[in-house]
C-alpha cells in the first residue's frame, strides 16, 4: 500500500504501461514531461528564488452547462452561482492575451491545464490547442463531455492534447444525470455523452495509431456513489488509461471561519471564495463501505488497461473516517508544493497561486507580463507565508497532494 509522501506519485503500472509509451511516440514530449517531473519532485523550494513555471492552469471561463453537486463553483454554495445571483458578469479569458502568455513562457515549456467553468464553452479552445501544437507545447482538458464530441477529433489532431480528464460520478444514466444535472434542467443524458467521448477517443487513437490523449475519467466519491465505485470502474477499465478517484473537497463552517482569521492575519484582507466548498454531499459517506469498494476496485482492475488512483492515497476504514471527521489531518501532505511550479490564471486574467481558493491576487496578465508576476513580490510573499504552515482550508485540496 502506498506510503504518505510530499507529493502524490503516479501509480507505477500507469507510468510503465501508458505514460512511457506515450512519451516515446513524441521526442518533444519526453523533454517537456521530464522537465515537468523534475520541477515537481526535485526542484528546490525556496520562496526567494526565481523559478521556471512548470504548469499553467487556465480557468478559461466561468460559465458551465451542468450544475454538479460536488462543484465548488456551481454546486451547493458555489461562489459562481452566488456571483450570477448578484447580477455580476461571468468572465472569460481573452484569446489574444493567452497567446501572448504562451509566447512569453514558451522557453520554460510549461504544461497547460485547461479547465473552467466548462472549457468546451470557450470558443477559442481549438485555436488555442493549435497554437500550442505550433510551439510544441502540451496540455490537458478537464471537461464534463457535454459539448466535447463535435470538436474532439479537431483537438486531437492539434497534437497538443496529452490528457483528457472527463467527469464520471455515476454508474448508470440515472445516477450520473442526478449528480451532474444540466443547467437548463433539460433531460440531456450526460452519462451517454461521457461514455460516447471515451469510446470516440479510443476509436480515433486506434485509427490514427496514437498513444495520446491519455483518457482519465475523474470520479468524486460522494454520498451518492460510494457504494458503486467498482461499478463505475467497470465502465471504463478497458478504454481509459488512469482512473483518479477523489475524496470530496469540502470544508466545515468552523474551518471557513478559522481560515478567514488566518488569511486576514497573513495577507491583510478577508477571503470569500472558500465558502463555495461548504457542501453537504459528503456528509453520509460510509468509511467501512468505501474501504471495501476500494478493495474491489483494485481487485477488478488487474489485467485491464485502466489503472485506479485514489487521491489522497488513503485506503483503510480508519483513514477514510479520519479524512471526513478530522479536518486538521492533512493525510500526510504537510506542505504545499504546487505553488513552486504551478500558476493559476482566472478568467479575468488574475494570477493566483491556488486553484480552488482563488482569493490571493498576485497580479493580472491583462496589464503586466506573466513572468513579472510569477517571480514577483506578491507571489514570493505567498510562498513565504505558506512556509509558516498550511491554512485551515488546505487539508482537503488536491493541489496539496501535488497531483
Amino acid at each position: 500500500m502506498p506510503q504518505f509522501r510530499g507529493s502524490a506519485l503516479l501509480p507505477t503500472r500507469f507510468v510503465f504501461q501508458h505514460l512511457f509509451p506515450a512519451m516515446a511516440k513524441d521526442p518533444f514530449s519526453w523533454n517537456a514531461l521530464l522537465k515537468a517531473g523534475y520541477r515537481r519532485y526535485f526542484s528546490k523550494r525556496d520562496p526567494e528564488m526565481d523559478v521556471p513555471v512548470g504548469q499553467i492552469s487556465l480557468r478559461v471561463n466561468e460559465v458551465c452547462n451542468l450544475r454538479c453537486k460536488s462543484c465548488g463553483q456551481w454546486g451547493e454554495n458555489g461562489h459562481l452561482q452566488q456571483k450570477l445571483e448578484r447580477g455580476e458578469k461571468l468572465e472569460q479569458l481573452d484569446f489574444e492575451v493567452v497567446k501572448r502568455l504562451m509566447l512569453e513562457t514558451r522557453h520554460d515549456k510549461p504544461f497547460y491545464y485547461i479547465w473552467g467553468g466548462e472549457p468546451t464553452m470557450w470558443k477559442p479552445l481549438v485555436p488555442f490547442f493549435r497554437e500550442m501544437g505550433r510551439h510544441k507545447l502540451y496540455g490537458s482538458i478537464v471537461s464534463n463531455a457535454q459539448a466535447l464530441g463535435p470538436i474532439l477529433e479537431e483537438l486531437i489532431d492539434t497534437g497538443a492534447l496529452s490528457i483528457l480528464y472527463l467527469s464520471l460520478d455515476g454508474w448508470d444514466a440515472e445516477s450520473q444525470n442526478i449528480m451532474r444535472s444540466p443547467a437548463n434542467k433539460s433531460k440531456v443524458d450526460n452519462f451517454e455523452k461521457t461514455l460516447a467521448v471515451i469510446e470516440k477517443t479510443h476509436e480515433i487513437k486506434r485509427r490514427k495509431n496514437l498513444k495520446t490523449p491519455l483518457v482519465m475519467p475523474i470520479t468524486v466519491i460522494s454520498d451518492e456513489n460510494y457504494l458503486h465505485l467498482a461499478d463505475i470502474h467497470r465502465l471504463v477499465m478497458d478504454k481509459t488509461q488512469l482512473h483518479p478517484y477523489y475524496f470530496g473537497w469540502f470544508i466545515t463552517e468552523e474551518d471557513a471561519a478559522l481560515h478567514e482569521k488566518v488569511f486576514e492575519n497573513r495577507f491583510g484582507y478577508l477571503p470569500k471564495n472558500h465558502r463555495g466548498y461548504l457542501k453537504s454531499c459528503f456528509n453520509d459517506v460510509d468509511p467501512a463501505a468505501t474501504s471495501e469498494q476500494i478493495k474491489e476496485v483494485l481487485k477488478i482492475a488487474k489485467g485491464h488497461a485502466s489503472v485506479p488512483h485514489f487521491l489522497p492515497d488513503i485506503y483503510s476504514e480508519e483513514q477514510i473516517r479520519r479524512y471526513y471527521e478530522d479536518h486538521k489531518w492533512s493525510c500526510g501532505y504537510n506542505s504545499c508544493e504546487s505553488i513552486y511550479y504551478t500558476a493559476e490564471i482566472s478568467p479575468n486574467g488574475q494570477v493566483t497561486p491556488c486553484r480552488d481558493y482563488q482569493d490571493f491576487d498576485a497580479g493580472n496578465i491583462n496589464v503586466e507580463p506573466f513572468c513579472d508576476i510569477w517571480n514577483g513580490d506578491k507571489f514570493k510573499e505567498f510562498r513565504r507565508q505558506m512556509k509558516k504552515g498550511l491554512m485551515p482550508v488546505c487539508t482537503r485540496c488536491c493541489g496539496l497532494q501535488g497531483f
Side-chain angles (χ1 to χ4, degrees), residues 110-310:
F111 187 81
Y112 282 85
Y113 180 94
I114 311 303
W115 67 304
E118 169 52 38
T120 58
M121 298 179 73
W122 187 55
K123 290 183 179 179
L125 184 64
V126 173
F128 171 74
F129 271 84
R130 288 199 193 107
E131 195 75 8
M132 275 207 293
R134 279 200 322 114
H135 294 291
K136 298 296 182 184
L137 297 171
Y138 300 88
S140 63
I141 295 174
V142 184
S143 175
N144 60 34
Q146 193 78 352
L148 182 57
I151 60 172
L152 178 61
E153 191 153 1
E154 281 187 278
L155 285 165
I156 293 174
D157 285 345
T158 67
L161 181 59
S162 293
I163 302 172
L164 181 58
Y165 295 103
L166 299 169
S167 302
L168 182 64
D169 291 339
W171 59 97
D172 58 18
E174 182 180 8
S175 57
Q176 174 82 355
N177 296 334
I178 288 173
M179 287 181 273
R180 296 191 168 273
S181 58
N184 60 6
K185 306 302 180 184
S186 66
K187 294 184 179 180
V188 175
D189 192 334
N190 182 250
F191 181 76
E192 180 183 26
K193 285 179 176 289
T194 302
L195 293 188
V197 166
I198 291 173
E199 178 65 38
K200 187 173 181 178
T201 308
H202 181 74
E203 184 275 325
I204 292 170
K205 288 166 63 177
R206 181 193 56 76
R207 171 164 43 92
K208 298 189 174 186
N209 191 27
L210 300 173
K211 293 292 186 182
T212 56
L214 299 170
V215 181
M216 303 183 187
I218 295 176
T219 299
V220 180
I221 300 170
S222 71
D223 296 354
E224 303 275 359
N225 65 10
Y226 70 88
L227 289 172
H228 297 274
L229 304 184
D231 292 331
I232 298 172
H233 189 64
R234 288 186 181 96
L235 294 169
V236 302
M237 61 186 183
D238 291 315
K239 293 183 179 178
T240 67
Q241 286 71 57
L242 188 71
H243 186 182
Y245 287 85
Y246 285 99
F247 291 89
W249 311 343
F250 71 107
I251 61 175
T252 65
E253 186 63 49
E254 180 185 9
D255 296 323
L258 182 58
H259 177 68
E260 287 158 15
K261 292 180 181 179
V262 173
F263 191 98
E264 186 176 28
N265 182 58
R266 291 188 184 186
F267 303 114
Y269 59 94
L270 282 171
K272 57 181 181 180
N273 287 344
H274 63 297
R275 288 189 169 267
Y277 289 83
L278 288 165
K279 306 173 192 174
S280 61
C281 58
F282 308 116
N283 291 352
D284 297 321
V285 174
D286 182 88
T290 303
S291 179
E292 289 303 309
Q293 278 290 301
I294 290 173
K295 291 176 186 175
E296 180 69 12
V297 170
L298 296 174
K299 177 182 176 181
I300 66 174
K302 294 176 181 177
H304 293 272
S306 191
V307 181
H309 189 30
F310 291 89

Side-chain angles (χ1 to χ4, degrees), residues 298-328:
L298 296 174
K299 177 182 176 181
I300 66 174
K302 294 176 181 177
H304 293 272
S306 191
V307 181
H309 189 30
F310 291 89
L311 292 157
D313 46 355
I314 56 177
Y315 302 86
S316 70
E317 177 184 351
E318 180 185 11
Q319 290 172 327
I320 296 167
R321 187 178 305 281
R322 189 178 180 189
Y323 179 89
Y324 290 108
E325 295 180 356
D326 179 9
H327 276 247
K328 292 182 174 61

Side-chain angles (χ1 to χ4, degrees), residues 40 53 55-60 93 101 111 113-116 336 338-339 341-365 370 373-374 379 382-383 397-400 403:
R40 174 171 292 189
V53 61
Q55 177 174 299
I56 296 177
S57 293
L58 298 179
R59 190 162 64 95
V60 294
L93 275 170
L101 166 73
F111 187 81
Y113 180 94
I114 311 303
W115 67 304
C336 184
S338 68
I339 57 177
Y341 60 82
T342 302
E344 307 290 340
I345 300 179
S346 297
N348 64 358
Q350 175 187 316
V351 181
T352 179
C354 186
R355 178 179 305 167
D356 294 299
Y357 307 108
Q358 303 142 359
D359 292 296
F360 186 85
D361 185 354
N364 194 297
I365 60 170
F370 169 82
I373 301 170
W374 172 246
F379 220 111
F382 190 88
R383 294 174 184 138
C397 171
C398 74
L400 176 67
F403 186 74

Side-chain angles (χ1 to χ4, degrees), residues 46-153:
D46 183 349
E48 309 306 323
M49 286 179 61
D50 286 1
V51 292
V53 61
Q55 177 174 299
I56 296 177
S57 293
L58 298 179
R59 190 162 64 95
V60 294
N61 59 8
E62 294 184 325
V63 298
C64 189
N65 44 20
L66 295 187
R67 295 292 180 265
C68 306
K69 294 182 179 180
S70 61
C71 180
Q73 298 182 38
W74 288 104
E76 180 184 7
N77 297 310
H79 62 88
L80 292 182
Q81 180 67 44
Q82 295 179 11
K83 182 177 181 177
L84 186 66
E85 291 169 357
R86 293 193 298 267
E88 298 176 21
K89 179 184 176 183
L90 297 177
E91 304 279 356
Q92 65 174 344
L93 275 170
D94 184 298
F95 183 41
E96 294 304 315
V97 173
V98 172
K99 286 198 292 185
R100 188 172 71 239
L101 166 73
M102 194 182 302
L103 286 171
E104 184 185 352
T105 60
R106 67 189 185 280
H107 298 299
D108 283 352
K109 296 291 183 185
F111 187 81
Y112 282 85
Y113 180 94
I114 311 303
W115 67 304
E118 169 52 38
T120 58
M121 298 179 73
W122 187 55
K123 290 183 179 179
L125 184 64
V126 173
F128 171 74
F129 271 84
R130 288 199 193 107
E131 195 75 8
M132 275 207 293
R134 279 200 322 114
H135 294 291
K136 298 296 182 184
L137 297 171
Y138 300 88
S140 63
I141 295 174
V142 184
S143 175
N144 60 34
Q146 193 78 352
L148 182 57
I151 60 172
L152 178 61
E153 191 153 1

